């Protein structure tokens, strides 16, 4: 095995040492290629130093009468006459000139052809004094010049063994001006053969990449769980479009009337869009390793380049190519680091991705150097992209194939599990049949208990309704109550008691829990309220006695609850208020001014022998009092109780001009609108009192 590899390497080394004939180059406007063109299969690129007449558009006839004493100028072709950007700005590539070369080919009477690519950006070509081709309109000013890209093959019969070629070029629309492309000379049959081969090659390349794009688009359509296939498909389609636009300019051949500016925009967009779209594909493949911020930068900067192309003229956006190439190489360098990290962690497929990515970047760098006339050689980006996409297609196909194999294995495993499950299910069926009778008996027993609980709940509800019945408060007060328990019996409890004809007492508490528990607590509170109301002359005294009772008598039950008491003494036209552990209540004067009835002590049942404070305030006809529990407003802002209370205050203040009967319904509607709900999650009570 070792000897065989050694022999192969030795043969390759010998083959590389075989001398190859070097094509001749133009020297001082003259090219001698007689011996080179004797081979019928050879073509010759006319590169080297052409005669150069800057700032002159010279016809063949004028060339013969040109002053021979003039110092000759020479220009290296391919090349551009563009000045530095900081010298002339966006006019760096503007100008016009004439270029000439004499080719000694020794092919008198033999049909020859010139393959002429596009020039930057208009040209007229003369062969032996005869105008044979032109692109656009060559002119000495921007107003008269017209750019055009249309590669041509020019056939001619040389009458002598030497041919004179004269090329007039002007440019006012591109950052590069001059003969940036290479003219190729050869036998007519060979030039046409190479052109047809180039068409076949490009069509196969574009068709293959386009097929890969549609294939992966179909994969994404049927499996949207893998979005990277969609972005890979978009990249393939874009690259295929790029092949069709660039190179031999097939789009212009099909649509001859396509404006040059539109064609150039499509050409730039087809390459500028590759970076953000392909970046999305790589980001989805290596998401654990690819920074989200780096992806966003590559995406948005790439789209920014595209936007500038869309909204500016060619004389501006053509200067973006070099910055874009630098930007793309920076993104490629970062991507390279991402792939290396993935390989370090043994991510499946990362090694093969790196191989294809390196080929792509090498071809991209080669094309950047060729397009910027740093080196001379063929463009390879399409082949680099094809290689990378072909490898990626194999990688994606392998993943799908592996998925199918895994699915088959899972199907076999699932079949075994189903058989086991069937046996277990048969056993469960037997158990269910035995349990069914017991469940039926338990269900009947539970139903009986539920019926009894329902009866108890209805009884508790009727008891609570009886103790919270509103007495006659005329002619001093008008009262409207909003009471919304979330169960049949809620934790909120309120009492209104007529102490004397001119003295009324309001009590509002919030007992713990719901249902029967709340009902029992409410009856205990109501019983204690009735007992101490007879001896408590002021609201704070009533809270003191109730607090002491629940602290001493019910310590084991741990009954704690907030409560408030408000007395109205209409002999003195004064209200007295005491609050234990409740939020601020609201007293709205008849002129709309709002004052707060602040809390005067802790919740009931917490501290022994606590003396509650008392607030007194004058009242007059038209004053409104709003007493409420925290369930009324807590859901306005569950994370910020202060903000919720502020929202409730704003709602209440909005009712200042409403008549008495509309206040409570309006508050309920506005609260529901602010909560974006149709009901409360906690017991909610609002007692609205108006002094008459």
């Amino acid at each position: 095995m070792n000897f065989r590899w050694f022999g192969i390497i030795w043969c390759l080394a010998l083959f590389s040492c075989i001398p190859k004939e070097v094509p001749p180059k133009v020297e001082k406007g003259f090219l001698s290629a007689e011996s080179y063109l004797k081979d019928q299969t050879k073509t010759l690129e006319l590169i080297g130093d052409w005669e150069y007449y800057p700032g002159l558009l010279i016809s063949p006839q004028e060339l013969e009468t040109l002053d021979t004493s003039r110092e000759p100028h020479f220009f290296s072709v391919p090349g551009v006459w563009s000045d530095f950007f900081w010298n002339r700005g966006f006019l760096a590539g503007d100008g016009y000139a004439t270029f000439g070369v004499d080719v000694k080919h020794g092919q008198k009477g033999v049909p020859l052809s010139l393959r002429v690519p596009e020039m930057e950006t208009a040209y007229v070509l003369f062969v032996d004094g005869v105008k044979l081709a032109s692109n656009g309109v060559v002119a000495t000013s921007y107003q008269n010049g017209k750019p055009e890209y249309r590669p041509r093959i020019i056939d001619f019969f040389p009458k002598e063994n030497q041919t004179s070629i004269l090329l007039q070029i002007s440019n006012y629309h591109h950052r590069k001006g001059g003969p940036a492309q290479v003219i190729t000379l050869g036998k007519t049959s060979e030039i046409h053969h190479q052109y047809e081969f180039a068409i076949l090659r490009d069509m196969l390349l574009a068709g293959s990449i386009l097929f890969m794009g549609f294939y992966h688009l179909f994969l994404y359509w049927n499996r949207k769980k893998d979005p990277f296939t969609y972005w890979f498909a978009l990249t393939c389609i874009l690259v295929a479009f790029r092949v069709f636009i660039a190179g031999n300019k097939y789009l212009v051949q099909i649509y001859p009337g396509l404006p040059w500016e539109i064609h150039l925009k499509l050409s730039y967009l087809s390459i500028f869009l590759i970076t953000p779209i392909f970046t999305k594909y790589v980001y989805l493949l290596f998401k654990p390793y690819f920074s989200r911020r780096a992806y966003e930068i590559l995406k948005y900067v790439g789209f920014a380049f595209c936007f500038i192309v869309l909204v500016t003229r060619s004389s501006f956006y053509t200067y973006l190519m070099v910055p874009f190439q630098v930007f793309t190489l920076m993104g490629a360098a970062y991507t390279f680091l991402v792939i290396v990290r993935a390989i370090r962690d043994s991510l499946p497929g990362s090694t093969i991705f790196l191989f294809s990515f390196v080929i792509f970047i090498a071809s991209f760098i080669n094309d950047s150097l060729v397009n910027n006339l740093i080196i001379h050689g063929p463009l390879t980006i399409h082949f680099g992209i094809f290689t990378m996409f072909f490898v990626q297609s194999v990688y994606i196909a392998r993943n799908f194939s592996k998925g199918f194999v895994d699915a088959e294995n899972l199907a076999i495993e699932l079949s075994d599990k189903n058989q086991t499950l069937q046996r277990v299910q048969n056993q469960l069926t037997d158990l269910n049949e035995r349990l069914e009778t017991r469940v039926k008996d338990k269900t009947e027993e539970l139903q009986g208990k539920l019926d009894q609980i329902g009866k108890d709940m209805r009884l508790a509800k009727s008891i609570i309704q009886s103790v919270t019945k509103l007495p006659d408060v005329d002619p001093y007060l008008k009262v409207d109550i909003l009471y919304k328990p979330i169960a049949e019996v809620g934790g909120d409890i309120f009492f209104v008691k007529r102490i004397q004809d001119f003295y009324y007492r309001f009590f509002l508490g919030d007992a713990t829990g719901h249902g029967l528990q709340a009902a029992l607590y409410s009856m205990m509170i109501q019983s204690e309220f009735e007992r101490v109301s007879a001896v408590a002359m002021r609201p704070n005294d009533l809270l003191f006695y109730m607090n002491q009772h629940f602290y001493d008598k019910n310590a084991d039950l741990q009954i704690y609850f907030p409560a408030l008491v408000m007395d109205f003494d209409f002999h003195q036209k004064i209200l007295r208020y005491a609050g234990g552990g409740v939020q601020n209540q609201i007293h709205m004067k008849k002129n709309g001014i709002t004052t707060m009835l602040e809390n005067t002590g802790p919740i009931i049942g917490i501290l022994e022998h606590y003396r509650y404070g008392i607030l007194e305030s004058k009242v007059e006809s038209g004053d409104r009092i709003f007493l409420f529990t925290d369930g009324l407003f807590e859901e306005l802002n569950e994370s910020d109780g202060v903000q919720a209370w502020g929202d409730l205050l704003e709602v209440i203040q909005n009712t200042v001009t409403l008549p008495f009967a509309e206040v409570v319904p309006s508050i309920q509607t506005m609260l529901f609108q602010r909560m974006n709900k149709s009901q409360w999650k906690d017991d909610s009570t609002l007692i609205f009192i108006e002094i008459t």
Side-chain angles (χ1 to χ4, degrees):
M1 179 65 71
N2 292 335
F3 285 108
R4 185 171 63 181
W5 280 108
F6 180 77
I8 293 173
I9 295 172
W10 179 253
C11 291
L12 291 174
L14 287 176
F15 180 76
S16 63
C17 293
I18 298 175
K20 297 180 181 179
E21 185 177 1
V22 178
K25 294 185 178 181
V26 180
E27 296 180 1
K28 294 185 178 181
F30 182 78
L31 176 61
S32 179
E34 289 179 288
S35 60
Y36 187 81
L37 291 177
K38 286 181 180 179
D39 188 341
Q40 298 293 322
T41 62
K42 289 183 177 179
T43 59
L44 181 62
E45 293 182 342
L46 305 183
I47 61 176
D49 296 330
W50 289 40
E51 289 190 27
Y52 179 41
Y53 303 93
L56 296 174
L57 296 180
I58 303 174
S59 66
Q61 294 76 21
E62 293 172 334
L63 186 62
E64 296 176 357
T65 62
L66 198 65
D67 185 3
T68 56
S69 63
R70 171 186 172 274
E71 182 70 23
H73 296 277
F74 299 99
F75 191 93
S76 180
V77 177
V80 294
W81 61 56
S82 301
D83 198 356
F84 291 108
F85 177 80
W86 44 82
N87 290 339
R88 296 185 61 198
F90 293 106
L91 303 178
D94 289 10
Y96 55 93
T98 304
F99 303 84
V101 64
D102 291 328
V103 182
K104 189 174 183 180
H105 47 70
Q107 301 293 320
K108 179 180 178 180
V110 178
L112 299 179
S113 294
L114 291 171
R115 183 175 179 183
V116 186
E118 73 274 8
M119 298 295 169
E120 307 296 348
T121 52
Y123 73 86
V124 176
L125 180 68
F126 299 89
V127 178
D128 287 333
V130 180
K131 177 181 176 181
L132 295 186
S134 65
N135 264 199
V137 177
V138 176
T140 59
S141 64
Y142 170 81
Q143 291 77 10
N144 298 323
K146 179 181 178 183
E148 185 178 16
Y149 283 166
R150 195 182 308 275
R152 304 282 296 273
I153 292 180
I154 303 167
D155 302 327
F156 66 97
F157 287 90
K159 298 178 181 179
E160 302 294 340
N161 288 321
Q162 181 171 312
T163 296
S164 176
I165 300 174
L166 196 67
L167 185 62
Q168 297 177 351
I169 300 178
S170 68
N171 171 66
Y172 304 99
H173 301 80
H174 200 280
R175 70 181 177 92
K176 296 190 296 186
Q181 308 292 334
V182 179
I183 298 175
T184 305
L185 172 67
K187 304 293 191 300
T188 297
S189 58
E190 185 61 24
I191 291 291
H192 282 273
H193 171 72
Q194 290 183 5
Y195 180 67
E196 292 167 359
F197 176 78
I199 293 176
L200 178 62
R201 178 199 62 199
D202 289 347
M203 291 303 102
L204 285 175
L205 181 64
S208 301
I209 297 176
L210 192 63
F211 174 78
M212 286 189 285
F214 285 123
Y215 172 74
H216 288 91
L217 201 61
F218 177 77
L219 288 180
Y220 171 75
W221 183 267
N222 288 275
R223 182 179 170 81
K224 294 184 173 60
K225 188 178 179 180
D226 296 326
F228 62 86
T229 56
Y230 169 76
W231 294 99
F232 180 76
L234 284 187
T235 309
C236 288
I237 294 171
L238 186 62
V239 171
F241 184 60
R242 169 71 182 171
V243 174
F244 196 67
I245 292 176
N248 287 304
K249 307 292 188 292
Y250 301 114
L251 186 63
V252 178
Q253 306 293 344
I254 296 174
Y255 300 103
L258 184 68
W260 178 86
E261 183 74 36
I262 294 178
H263 174 260
L264 191 65
K265 283 183 183 290
L266 293 175
S267 178
Y268 271 66
L269 288 173
S270 66
I271 192 169
F272 283 4
L273 282 171
I274 290 177
T275 295
I277 292 178
F278 184 71
T279 298
K280 179 71 171 182
Y281 165 65
V282 179
Y283 172 73
L284 293 175
L285 276 184
F286 300 99
K287 201 168 186 179
Y289 306 95
F290 209 115
S291 166
R292 175 76 180 183
R293 178 173 296 179
Y295 160 68
E296 295 288 347
I297 291 173
L298 291 171
K299 179 178 71 172
Y300 289 116
V301 173
F303 284 134
F305 276 105
C306 298
F307 177 76
I308 294 173
V309 171
L310 288 173
V311 300
T312 60
R313 297 192 309 177
S314 60
S315 57
F316 179 86
Y317 66 75
T318 52
Y319 286 89
L320 297 178
M321 182 56 72
V322 173
F324 175 78
Q325 291 169 345
V326 174
F327 163 73
T328 302
L329 287 176
M330 293 172 60
Y334 176 78
T335 304
F336 181 82
L337 296 177
V338 168
I339 302 171
V340 170
R341 290 175 56 199
I343 293 175
R344 182 193 61 191
D345 293 346
S346 301
L347 185 71
S350 55
T351 302
I352 193 172
F353 187 96
L354 179 63
F355 169 74
S356 62
F357 187 72
V358 168
I359 294 177
F360 164 69
I361 293 302
S363 63
F364 178 81
I365 294 174
N366 173 79
D367 279 28
S368 298
L369 296 176
V370 171
N371 287 327
N372 289 288
L373 302 177
I374 299 174
I375 64 173
H376 173 67
L379 298 176
T380 59
I381 186 66
H382 300 152
F383 301 101
I385 291 176
F386 174 77
T387 302
M388 184 185 67
F389 285 1
F390 177 76
V391 172
Q392 291 305 304
S393 296
V394 173
Y395 166 70
I396 294 174
R398 187 183 68 175
N399 286 345
F400 273 91
S401 177
K402 184 177 181 297
F404 291 139
V405 172
D406 292 342
E408 291 176 355
N409 294 334
L410 287 174
I412 296 173
E413 184 180 351
L414 182 61
S415 177
D416 296 338
K417 295 293 184 182
N418 283 337
Q419 293 177 3
T420 304
L421 183 62
Q422 185 62 45
R423 291 194 296 269
V424 175
Q425 187 176 2
N426 293 336
Q427 296 174 0
L428 288 175
T429 301
D430 295 337
L431 290 174
N432 286 337
E433 290 176 353
R434 291 196 296 268
L435 289 173
E436 192 172 303
T437 302
R438 295 184 61 187
V439 170
K440 182 178 180 181
D441 296 340
K442 290 294 182 182
T443 301
E444 292 176 352
E445 181 181 349
L446 288 173
Q447 187 60 48
K449 292 182 178 180
L450 288 174
D451 292 341
Q452 183 61 43
I453 291 173
K455 292 179 182 178
D456 293 343
M457 288 291 292
R458 288 190 292 274
L459 176 61
K461 182 179 180 180
S462 63
I463 293 173
I464 296 300
Q465 288 176 343
S466 66
V467 300
T468 57
K469 186 176 181 180
L470 189 67
D472 183 17
V473 293
D474 287 336
Y476 301 105
L477 300 172
K478 289 194 291 185
V479 180
D480 193 1
I481 298 176
L482 173 65
Y483 179 61
K484 293 291 181 180
I486 62 171
E488 285 200 44
V489 178
D492 288 358
I493 182 72
F494 65 89
F495 314 115
V496 181
K497 187 175 183 63
R498 184 173 182 177
I499 306 297
Q500 298 181 29
D501 289 343
F502 57 86
Y503 202 99
Y504 296 87
R505 174 165 290 169
F506 287 78
F507 177 90
L508 177 60
D510 186 358
T512 305
H514 308 285
L516 289 176
Q517 176 189 2
L520 291 174
Y521 287 173
S522 298
M523 286 186 286
M524 293 176 65
I525 294 170
Q526 191 271 340
S527 174
E528 185 63 15
F529 171 78
E530 292 291 342
R531 186 181 70 84
V532 300
S533 281
V535 296
M537 301 305 296
R538 297 185 303 174
N540 57 330
D541 295 335
L542 188 144
L543 290 183
F544 170 78
Y545 293 137
M546 292 189 73
N547 175 71
Q548 199 60 35
H549 171 80
F550 282 102
Y551 185 89
D552 293 338
K553 305 295 184 181
N554 300 288
D556 294 338
L557 296 177
Q558 294 184 344
I559 302 177
Y560 312 121
F561 60 93
L564 64 88
V565 181
M566 178 175 286
D567 290 356
F568 288 94
D569 184 350
F570 288 103
H571 267 177
Q572 302 180 38
K573 293 185 178 181
I574 192 172
L575 69 80
R576 300 181 179 92
Y577 170 82
V582 296
Q583 62 284 332
N584 296 341
Q585 308 296 308
I586 298 173
H587 179 191
M588 183 186 292
K589 297 291 187 177
K590 67 178 181 179
N591 59 4
I593 297 176
T594 301
T595 60
M596 299 300 109
L597 302 174
E598 297 182 352
N599 190 50
T600 62
I603 63 175
I604 306 300
I606 289 290
L607 298 178
E608 184 179 12
H609 300 306
Y610 187 87
R611 288 293 179 177
Y612 289 82
I614 187 170
L615 299 176
E616 294 187 355
S617 176
K618 286 290 185 178
V619 293
E620 56 184 333
S621 178
D623 284 5
R624 291 179 173 181
I625 314 296
F626 297 87
L627 307 177
F628 46 85
T629 59
D630 56 6
L632 185 72
F633 65 88
E634 280 182 339
E635 294 180 59
L636 288 172
N637 193 324
E638 297 181 4
S639 63
D640 189 347
V642 175
Q643 179 62 40
W645 193 91
D647 291 344
L648 174 64
L649 177 61
E650 183 181 347
V651 167
I652 290 176
Q653 289 174 336
N654 289 337
T655 65
V656 64
T657 59
L658 295 179
F660 175 83
E662 297 181 12
V663 171
V664 171
S666 177
I667 291 175
Q668 182 175 359
T669 300
M670 286 189 286
L671 288 177
F672 283 157
Q673 289 175 348
R674 294 205 176 203
M675 294 187 296
N676 196 21
K677 301 175 183 177
S678 59
Q679 61 183 8
W680 280 278
K681 291 193 300 184
D682 192 10
D683 299 328
S684 303
T685 303
L686 169 66
I687 302 176
F688 171 48
I689 307 166
E690 184 176 297
I691 312 300
T692 57

